Amino acid sequence: MSKKWYRVQKLKAIFVLALAVVFTNAIVSYSNTVKLIYNQQWLAYSYKFITQIESIQSTLKDTETAQRSYLITADADDLQGYLAAYQQTNSNIQILKNLTANNRQKQQWIALLEPKITNILKILQQEISLRQNQGLEAVRQQILSDNDKQIGKEIHQLINDSLKAEKNLLHQEMQQSQANSQKAIVTFFIAAIVDLVLVALLYDLLWRYIRQLQQTELALRQSENRLRAMIDAEPECIQLIAKDGTLLEINAEGLAMMEVENADILIGKPVDAVVAPEYKAAFADLHESVCQGNKGTLEFEIVGFKGTRRYIETHAVPLRNESDDNTFIHLALTRDITQQKQAEQKIREQAALLDVSKDAILVRNIHNQILFWNKGAQSLYGWKAEEVVGKNVLQLLYKEISPQLEDAYLKVMDTGEWRGELHQLTREGKVIIVESRWTLIRDDNEQPKSILSVNTEITQQKQLEAQLLRSQRLESIGTLAGGIAHDLNNILSPILMSVQLLQKKLPDSQSQQILQTLENNVKRGANLLKQVLSFARGIESKRTIVEIQPLMAEIEQIIAQTFPKSISCQINIPKNLWYVRGDITQLHQVLINLVINARDAMPNGGILQIAAENLVIGEHSAQINIDAKVGSYIAIVVTDTGMGMSSEVQQRIFEPFFTTKEVGKGTGLGLSTALGIVKNHGGFVNVYSQLGRGTQFTVYLPASTFRDTHSPSQQLESVIKDA
């Protein structure tokens, strides 16, 4: 295309150059011709002027001769000759005036010459009159006078000077004319040579261009034949449709699809003749849209010339009409999808049987596009079938493509089946765990066609297993810690007694200071062991009816007095909060531990929120948490905006002696002790945390079933009213 454009531009440039040269030659030739014509006209004018002056000079001489002859002979014929010459002189002067009418300089010269000629003629006339009246003798005196001789000399001088000047100009103009003629001849020959060269060049270029056009035409025919062969070899139908809906071109596959043997049967006929009646309107809309420059896709049925019905899918694109740049023609790429539709229909029929299953059953093709989605999948994931069919299952149900998912796909393509656990997303973005079974479905040629997946949700089961494992681990750790703490307590008791005896025997201040330090460390170790024993044995103490609101007020006062000012505390405790039965000191210890951990998680400041609410846990919620039971609870929520915890840390925070704090800033027994206190009160703890976003601890304590003013049923009624 670029070479063709270059050749065309080259031809245009040479053609413009040739026109410019021809036009220049024409202008130069015209200029030379005009100059030659002007020179010829000037030469003719100069010749006429010289001839006329010479004629005046000759006529004036003849007039003087005839006048002298008459004066001497008095012959009438001489008088007639004089009069004729006289008239001729006047006529020549008039002719000379007309000839030099546009020449101011010559007009001035004539203005000098004419009075002198008139004067000399007047003198000649006077002499003739004197001869006629007084005779020859009287005239002789007049002739001998110098007056007429002087005038004659002046006239002769004027005429000679003018003739000399004019002849000089004539000579110069003749030389200029010869030069212009030679220049014109040279220019003509040069122009002729240039024109011949340009004509030869144009002929050569046109000959080459015509030859290239012939070669291009041959190449186009060959390319068209190859393209026709390729199009006919295409396993899908290719059609070219005019704007009026008539068929322009169709390949061999299209003829087979239409059930005809010759394209002439279809070319020029309306293309929608084979479209099933119920799809004609949709096809007409698609054709109109494509002819306006839009792409489109349509699935419809056709009826071949032998009556066979086929379900086809057409992809339509617009092609600009070469004869009219403002219109488009319709290029359609059509394939037979009858078998695919039949397979889909069979899948839908089989799927109707699968809708009764509570498991999520879905079918996707090898490109991961969802083909089938049963009601179990709709119930599990939240999407309806019409919302997901055709979408990519990987983008719909997974946050990212994990190695496990890639291995599952490779294994099912290799062995035909796969079974395992997957983490998936619901419509609300909730992460669920499913037990998934994949089965590969093949077509008649044993090629992979689709994948059948059966998914069963096991999220609650996994959560219960994790809670059970954590409880068992904590129980084992508690047993171990109890034995170690008991032995260590036996070791510390004699040390403490020895220190107290030494304090009595060594009264000096230095010894007392050292022994006091030793006693403090021993007592600190004993307190630590006491916490371990409390965690390991379970905490039993005197239980009373505890009101949460005053307890929260004490916590708020401690926070206000001891926490940094960079931490903002927000406490929201409703007045109608239920009561709990428990040890107020231990509950105080639980809350203090949680708020201190929240403080330590916000070294640069933040927001600490403490809230409480009445809550009734039903059967479903009790199944999710292994420690929960159906009944009334008070939920105490402690939230911070601190650094948060990773999932790995969250799995271990309740283990004894596990801490993320620096050495000397934590024992790792705070949360384990708090969890033991809460469990001893019949409650449980939930934790939610994200790195960089903070942590939320929710403590669930069973509401007291004994209340002076409210029975449990009255408490429940109060909750319902508040709700």
Side-chain angles (χ1 to χ4, degrees):
M1 186 65 184
S2 60
K3 291 183 178 179
K4 180 179 178 182
W5 180 86
Y6 173 75
R7 290 197 296 267
V8 171
Q9 297 300 319
K10 185 178 180 181
L11 284 173
K12 287 182 178 179
I14 294 176
F15 182 72
V16 171
L17 178 61
L19 286 179
V21 172
V22 171
F23 184 71
T24 303
N25 292 339
I27 291 176
V28 172
S29 299
Y30 175 76
S31 176
N32 292 333
T33 303
V34 170
K35 288 181 180 179
L36 288 173
I37 293 173
Y38 174 77
N39 288 337
Q40 293 299 324
Q41 289 178 348
W42 197 93
L43 288 173
Y45 167 78
S46 183
Y47 276 119
K48 286 182 181 180
F49 182 75
I50 292 172
T51 301
Q52 201 62 37
I53 291 177
E54 290 176 346
S55 178
I56 290 173
Q57 187 179 24
S58 176
T59 303
L60 187 60
K61 186 176 181 181
D62 292 342
T63 302
E64 290 180 350
T65 302
Q67 189 258 2
R68 291 290 186 268
S69 178
Y70 175 74
L71 291 178
I72 296 171
T73 62
D75 188 356
D77 292 335
D78 292 334
L79 181 61
Q80 289 298 324
Y82 160 74
L83 292 175
Y86 180 86
Q87 291 177 355
Q88 184 64 37
T89 299
N90 290 331
S91 176
N92 288 339
I93 291 173
Q94 188 62 39
I95 292 171
L96 189 60
K97 282 184 178 182
N98 294 333
L99 186 62
T100 60
N102 295 326
N103 194 322
R104 186 176 180 183
Q105 185 178 2
K106 286 183 171 54
Q107 285 286 334
Q108 292 176 354
W109 176 80
I110 291 173
L112 293 175
L113 178 63
E114 185 179 13
K116 294 184 182 298
I117 293 175
T118 302
N119 195 13
I120 193 67
L121 291 176
K122 185 178 180 181
I123 292 173
L124 293 176
Q125 184 64 34
Q126 289 176 356
E127 289 177 351
I128 290 174
S129 298
L130 186 61
R131 172 70 175 83
Q132 290 176 348
N133 294 327
Q134 297 182 12
L136 180 61
E137 190 63 30
V139 158
R140 184 182 301 170
Q141 297 296 326
Q142 181 69 23
I143 292 172
L144 294 176
S145 65
D146 295 332
N147 189 20
D148 54 346
K149 293 181 180 180
Q150 184 64 32
I151 295 173
K153 290 180 180 179
E154 293 177 358
I155 292 173
H156 183 71
Q157 185 65 36
L158 283 172
I159 290 175
N160 287 338
D161 291 343
S162 178
L163 284 174
K164 183 178 180 181
E166 192 66 25
K167 287 180 179 180
N168 289 333
L169 289 175
L170 180 61
H171 180 69
Q172 294 176 1
E173 196 65 29
M174 289 179 66
Q175 291 180 343
Q176 182 67 34
S177 178
Q178 290 177 357
N180 289 338
S181 298
Q182 293 176 355
K183 183 178 178 181
I185 292 171
V186 172
T187 303
F188 174 77
F189 279 110
I190 293 175
I193 292 171
V194 172
D195 290 343
L196 287 175
V197 171
L198 285 174
V199 169
L201 182 60
L202 281 174
Y203 175 79
D204 180 68
L205 289 174
L206 287 174
W207 180 79
R208 290 185 182 183
Y209 184 65
I210 291 172
R211 188 174 179 182
Q212 288 174 352
L213 286 178
Q214 291 174 346
Q215 294 176 350
T216 303
E217 183 179 359
L218 178 60
L220 285 175
R221 284 199 299 268
Q222 294 175 349
S223 177
E224 183 178 357
N225 293 334
R226 288 194 294 267
L227 182 61
R228 168 55 64 180
M230 292 172 62
I231 291 176
D232 286 339
E234 174 65 33
E236 296 182 350
C237 170
I238 299 176
Q239 296 174 302
L240 197 61
I241 307 169
K243 186 177 181 180
D244 60 359
T246 57
L247 185 65
L248 299 176
E249 292 288 344
I250 188 170
N251 68 338
E253 180 64 23
L255 297 178
M257 190 178 293
M258 304 298 175
E259 298 180 330
V260 296
E261 297 180 356
N262 194 339
D264 294 335
I265 300 175
L266 300 175
I267 300 297
K269 303 297 191 300
V271 73
D272 62 350
V274 296
V275 178
E278 60 269 26
Y279 294 99
K280 285 184 180 292
F283 183 83
D285 292 340
L286 173 66
H287 177 68
E288 182 179 359
S289 176
V290 172
C291 291
Q292 292 175 354
N294 304 313
K295 297 180 180 180
T297 301
L298 181 66
E299 294 181 359
F300 59 96
E301 282 187 284
I302 63 170
V303 181
F305 279 73
K306 294 182 180 180
T308 305
R309 293 181 70 94
R310 287 182 173 86
Y311 213 104
I312 64 174
E313 179 185 45
T314 181
H315 298 276
V317 295
L319 291 180
R320 189 170 295 278
N321 194 344
E322 295 294 339
S323 61
D324 187 356
D325 291 341
N326 295 324
T327 61
F328 295 91
I329 56 178
H330 179 169
L331 174 63
L333 181 64
T334 304
R335 62 188 181 95
D336 190 344
I337 58 171
T338 305
Q339 293 183 355
Q340 176 183 336
K341 285 295 180 180
Q342 291 173 351
E344 290 176 0
Q345 179 63 27
K346 184 180 294 185
I347 290 175
R348 284 193 294 268
E349 292 173 355
Q350 294 172 351
L353 301 176
L354 300 176
D355 275 339
V356 298
S357 173
K358 292 184 179 181
D359 291 334
I361 302 175
L362 57 125
V363 178
R364 52 176 166 154
N365 59 22
I366 58 175
H367 302 295
N368 294 312
Q369 292 177 322
I370 298 175
L371 304 177
F372 172 73
W373 186 269
N374 77 332
K375 291 183 179 179
Q378 176 179 331
S379 175
L380 177 60
Y381 299 112
W383 285 287
K384 295 181 179 179
E386 56 269 18
E387 294 176 325
V388 299
V389 170
K391 292 187 177 180
N392 191 306
V393 69
L394 301 180
Q395 298 175 355
L396 190 72
L397 298 181
Y398 301 94
K399 284 185 177 180
E400 59 184 10
I401 307 301
S402 63
Q404 181 192 16
L405 199 59
E406 294 178 351
D407 292 342
Y409 184 80
L410 293 175
K411 186 173 181 181
V412 76
M413 297 297 290
D414 184 35
T415 64
E417 61 181 5
W418 175 84
R419 180 186 297 267
E421 295 179 1
L422 295 173
H423 288 75
Q424 297 179 335
L425 294 175
T426 65
R427 184 172 188 170
E428 293 76 19
K430 179 183 176 182
V431 178
I432 60 174
I433 304 174
V434 298
E435 182 182 358
S436 186
R437 285 88 69 196
W438 293 8
T439 302
L440 182 65
I441 300 174
R442 299 181 180 272
D443 59 16
D444 296 337
N445 297 322
E446 293 300 319
Q447 295 298 320
K449 181 180 180 182
S450 57
I451 299 174
L452 171 66
S453 300
V454 181
N455 298 331
T456 304
E457 184 183 9
I458 57 173
T459 307
Q460 294 182 5
Q461 176 183 339
K462 286 294 179 180
Q463 290 176 347
L464 291 173
E465 289 177 0
Q467 291 178 4
L468 180 60
L469 290 174
R470 187 176 68 179
S471 298
Q472 292 174 349
R473 184 172 66 253
L474 289 176
E475 184 178 353
S476 300
I477 293 174
T479 302
L480 177 63
I484 295 173
H486 181 76
D487 292 339
L488 289 175
N489 196 30
N490 292 336
I491 294 172
L492 289 177
S493 295
I495 294 174
L496 183 59
M497 294 174 60
S498 299
V499 168
Q500 291 174 352
L501 290 174
L502 288 173
Q503 284 177 341
K504 295 179 180 180
K505 291 183 178 182
L506 300 174
D508 59 286
S509 60
Q510 184 176 2
S511 298
Q512 288 293 323
Q513 185 177 359
I514 294 173
L515 292 172
Q516 184 63 45
T517 302
L518 183 59
E519 182 183 7
N520 292 337
N521 286 317
V522 172
K523 288 182 178 180
R524 185 179 302 170
N527 290 331
L528 178 60
L529 292 175
K530 184 179 180 180
Q531 291 184 6
V532 174
L533 287 172
S534 297
F535 168 75
R537 297 173 179 173
I539 300 152
E540 297 180 1
S541 60
K542 185 178 180 181
R543 304 291 179 88
T544 60
I545 299 298
V546 179
E547 189 176 0
I548 299 299
Q549 193 167 5
L551 183 60
M552 290 296 184
E554 294 179 10
I555 299 297
E556 183 178 11
Q557 184 177 5
I558 293 173
I559 292 172
Q561 293 176 354
T562 62
F563 278 28
K565 300 301 181 182
S566 59
I567 296 178
S568 174
C569 181
Q570 300 175 359
I571 296 182
N572 181 19
I573 306 298
K575 293 181 179 180
N576 61 342
L577 202 62
W578 294 335
Y579 290 75
V580 297
R581 185 175 182 83
D583 188 328
I584 189 169
T585 302
Q586 293 179 358
L587 295 179
H588 186 277
Q589 180 182 356
V590 171
L591 296 176
I592 284 294
N593 181 272
L594 293 179
V595 297
I596 288 176
N597 284 345
R599 179 201 65 186
D600 295 341
M602 297 184 291
N604 299 321
I607 300 174
L608 173 61
Q609 295 179 336
I610 303 175
E613 64 174 342
N614 298 328
L615 187 66
V616 176
I617 293 181
E619 187 70 30
H620 179 72
S621 299
Q623 292 177 358
I624 295 177
N625 197 299
I626 194 171
D627 296 319
K629 297 179 181 179
V630 177
S632 302
Y633 285 82
I634 293 177
I636 303 174
V637 183
V638 178
T639 307
D640 66 70
T641 58
M643 59 188 69
M645 295 181 291
S646 65
S647 58
E648 292 79 7
V649 172
Q650 292 182 52
Q651 296 294 327
R652 302 187 60 191
I653 56 175
F654 293 111
E655 294 180 6
F657 306 107
F658 175 79
T659 179
T660 58
K661 298 178 182 180
E662 299 177 4
V663 177
K665 292 188 176 181
T667 63
L669 291 171
L671 286 177
S672 60
T673 302
L675 179 62
I677 293 172
V678 173
K679 284 188 173 183
N680 194 43
H681 281 71
F684 59 95
V685 180
N686 280 344
V687 183
Y688 176 78
S689 181
Q690 283 185 309
L691 283 174
R693 295 189 177 183
T695 304
Q696 183 182 85
F697 281 89
T698 305
V699 177
Y700 296 88
L701 297 172
S704 175
T705 56
F706 297 98
R707 177 75 170 89
D708 294 338
T709 56
H710 293 85
S711 65
S713 61
Q714 290 174 329
Q715 293 177 11
L716 182 59
E717 290 175 2
S718 176
V719 173
I720 296 174
K721 290 180 181 179
D722 293 339

